[in-house]
Amino acid sequence: MFEKRYRLNLVFNANKVYDRQVIEGIGEYLQAAQCDWDVYFEDDFRSRLDALKHWKGDGIIADFDNPEVEEILKNTNIPTVAVGGSYHHKKDYPRLPYVATDNAALVRCAYQHLKRKGLPQFAFYSLPSTVYSRWASEREHAFVEQVRSDGFESHVHQGFCTSAEIWETAQHELETWLTNLPKPIGIIAVTDSRARHLLQVCDHLNILVPEQVAIVGIDNESMARYLNRTALSSVEQGSKQMGYEAAKMLHRMLLGYSVEDSLVVVDPTGIAERQSSDYRALHDPYVIQAMHFIRHNACRGVKVAQVVDYIGISRTNLETRFIDEIGCSMHEQLHMTKFYRACELITSTNLPFDEIARTCGYPSVQYMYTVSRKNLGMTPGEYRVSSRLGKDT
């Protein structure tokens, strides 16, 4: 006997990375369960919120981080699964089957990463508290609780909501906050977008990242990962898993099973570690400056002599200091910085290998192949395939 063809409404904003990943997870469940459903989905439902009141389909999966959506659907008679952020007070959850991202776990993942790096102080760049940013307030609360429980002072800046009209004012306030923070410090940004604000301001103020300020975002948004010169470390939410669980829950409801007041909280996938949080506890100011110069210029083909010229002390003096602090020569650090950058581009992009070789400062693609075989025991092509096979398993 064939299952009924249900009509499903997805109430999400396709302009948001998080929402797109949830939708992708819903699609994966529909494929896995072989559900032949009719799916209605607007790219941005916000312009037609009233239409939700007149939806006559069989089921709804909706973003309840939007308070207007929650208000419209909280008493609906149509089987509905809500998706949104977790809350530290149980009373704040909607009285509907609910799938949540674990806001406290997202912050914990970033915080533990920064602690492992040996950072002595921590801060959080949040969002202004509004009914539309409850998830951000939950992450801010989780940060304050976790940091204080470890005996650290919590530094929090909410700033302004992002808009073109107040961009300069917001950046000026952020500059003031960053300038007055103790250093070195690890900063968790409530989203990748806010983390990019931090990277821009640090660049303008010549604050060294990650030597003075190490930064971690939340979302692991691939689209804008390289908009800043410094690659951003970021916690990846289990958004696809959330979509999968929400579709699975709705399917059970449609088949007549009881899922009343069901709550599923989904852990983060993990943290993608990149340059913005690659902090090392260095003490020699010359070495700190040299490391910063190498991080930003190794792929431009600079040599040790240019590092020495930038620092302004003798080569012998700087080399001795560098080996004492880092444990390798400046030449070796230049080589490994280029190599790590090449590895990142090989695994996270589909760029041709000759373009990656040029981007990373190698004299030829053949030379990059030689370096890859020496350090990885495989060609760049083999490394790209093996890294993606590992992600799929």
Side-chain angles (χ1 to χ4, degrees):
M1 183 176 178
F2 293 103
E3 185 178 315
K4 175 183 174 181
R5 181 191 290 269
Y6 295 106
R7 291 173 298 162
L8 174 64
N9 191 356
L10 303 183
V11 186
F12 291 93
N13 181 1
N15 294 318
K16 293 165 56 180
V17 173
Y18 162 82
D19 285 34
R20 291 199 300 270
Q21 291 174 347
V22 171
I23 294 165
E24 188 176 351
I26 293 170
E28 288 185 357
Y29 177 81
L30 298 186
Q31 293 298 315
Q34 298 185 353
C35 297
D36 189 17
W37 297 357
D38 291 330
V39 177
Y40 176 76
F41 170 59
E42 291 191 49
D43 288 346
D44 190 348
F45 63 85
R46 293 173 299 177
S47 61
R48 290 176 48 81
L49 274 173
D50 283 345
L52 284 176
K53 300 173 183 176
H54 310 293
W55 170 253
K56 302 299 183 184
D58 301 296
I60 299 172
I61 302 176
D63 177 10
F64 267 44
D65 278 337
N66 185 306
E68 294 167 305
V69 171
E70 181 176 1
E71 183 62 29
I72 291 171
L73 295 178
K74 66 181 181 181
N75 296 315
T76 182
N77 293 320
I78 299 171
T80 298
V81 175
V83 175
S86 65
Y87 297 94
H88 64 281
H89 290 309
K90 293 292 184 184
K91 65 178 179 61
D92 292 327
Y93 285 100
R95 298 187 181 279
L96 283 172
Y98 192 74
V99 179
T101 186
D102 193 330
N103 284 317
L106 291 171
V107 173
R108 189 182 310 114
C109 186
Y111 174 53
Q112 294 295 336
H113 168 70
L114 292 172
K115 278 180 64 179
R116 286 194 298 272
K117 291 293 183 179
L119 283 148
Q121 295 149 133
F122 305 93
F124 193 81
Y125 181 31
S126 189
L127 274 167
S129 181
T130 71
V131 292
Y132 295 96
S133 62
R134 295 172 295 177
W135 52 273
S137 298
E138 289 293 326
R139 292 176 190 179
E140 180 183 321
H141 175 270
F143 169 79
V144 171
E145 289 294 305
Q146 291 176 37
V147 170
R148 286 181 179 172
S149 69
D150 284 345
F152 295 107
E153 182 182 356
S154 61
H155 303 272
V156 175
H157 180 64
Q158 292 184 342
F160 292 92
C161 292
T162 304
S163 71
E165 293 79 10
I166 60 170
W167 175 248
E168 288 189 15
T169 301
Q171 289 297 88
H172 178 71
E173 277 213 353
L174 189 56
E175 288 178 1
T176 301
W177 181 65
L178 275 172
T179 300
N180 292 328
L181 284 176
K183 317 251 181 345
I185 194 166
I187 304 179
I188 302 168
V190 72
T191 62
D192 284 353
S193 177
R194 303 294 266 189
R196 290 196 299 274
H197 299 174
L198 293 171
L199 289 172
Q200 288 174 6
V201 169
C202 285
D203 195 33
H204 293 164
L205 296 177
N206 199 29
I207 294 173
L208 308 186
V209 177
E211 290 82 8
Q212 294 175 308
V213 172
I215 299 169
V216 178
I218 296 174
D219 279 333
N220 198 27
E221 182 183 348
S222 59
M223 180 178 67
R225 184 183 302 163
Y226 300 114
L227 287 180
N228 297 92
R229 191 163 58 153
T230 302
L232 177 64
S233 296
S234 185
V235 180
E236 184 169 353
Q237 301 189 63
S239 308
K240 284 205 293 184
Q241 185 64 31
M242 292 171 66
Y244 190 96
E245 294 293 338
K248 180 180 177 181
M249 195 179 291
L250 180 61
H251 195 185
R252 289 181 56 81
M253 295 172 71
L254 294 173
L255 294 176
Y257 294 97
S258 176
V259 294
E260 186 178 354
D261 296 333
S262 293
L263 172 64
V264 175
V265 180
V266 176
D267 289 331
T269 302
I271 185 167
E273 299 183 28
R274 301 187 183 94
Q275 184 180 338
S276 70
S277 66
D278 189 20
Y279 171 81
R280 299 176 69 170
L282 303 177
H283 305 287
D284 190 313
Y286 293 115
V287 175
I288 291 172
Q289 290 286 340
M291 278 294 292
H292 185 72
F293 184 80
I294 288 171
R295 288 181 195 275
H296 285 284
N297 296 284
C299 291
R300 297 177 177 177
V302 300
K303 308 295 183 185
V304 171
Q306 290 164 286
V307 181
V308 173
D309 288 344
Y310 177 78
I311 301 305
I313 62 176
S314 74
R315 179 166 181 160
T316 301
N317 187 358
L318 182 57
E319 193 72 78
T320 300
R321 291 169 178 268
F322 201 90
I323 292 173
D324 288 345
E325 278 272 76
I326 305 298
C328 68
S329 69
M330 287 185 285
H331 174 78
E332 290 171 318
Q333 187 64 43
L334 283 165
H335 165 73
M336 294 311 297
T337 300
K338 290 196 294 186
F339 176 65
Y340 291 144
R341 175 62 169 163
C343 288
E344 183 181 5
L345 292 176
I346 288 167
T347 58
S348 66
T349 75
N350 291 314
L351 289 172
F353 296 131
D354 59 343
E355 187 169 343
I356 292 175
R358 287 194 300 273
T359 299
C360 296
Y362 289 113
S364 67
V365 69
Q366 291 80 12
Y367 188 88
M368 188 178 77
Y369 268 68
T370 300
V371 172
S372 178
R373 288 192 184 98
K374 179 180 178 180
N375 289 276
L376 298 173
M378 62 182 80
T379 67
E382 291 167 342
Y383 182 54
R384 177 173 277 174
V385 170
S386 67
S387 69
R388 293 180 181 180
L389 285 174
K391 289 179 181 178
D392 292 338
T393 56

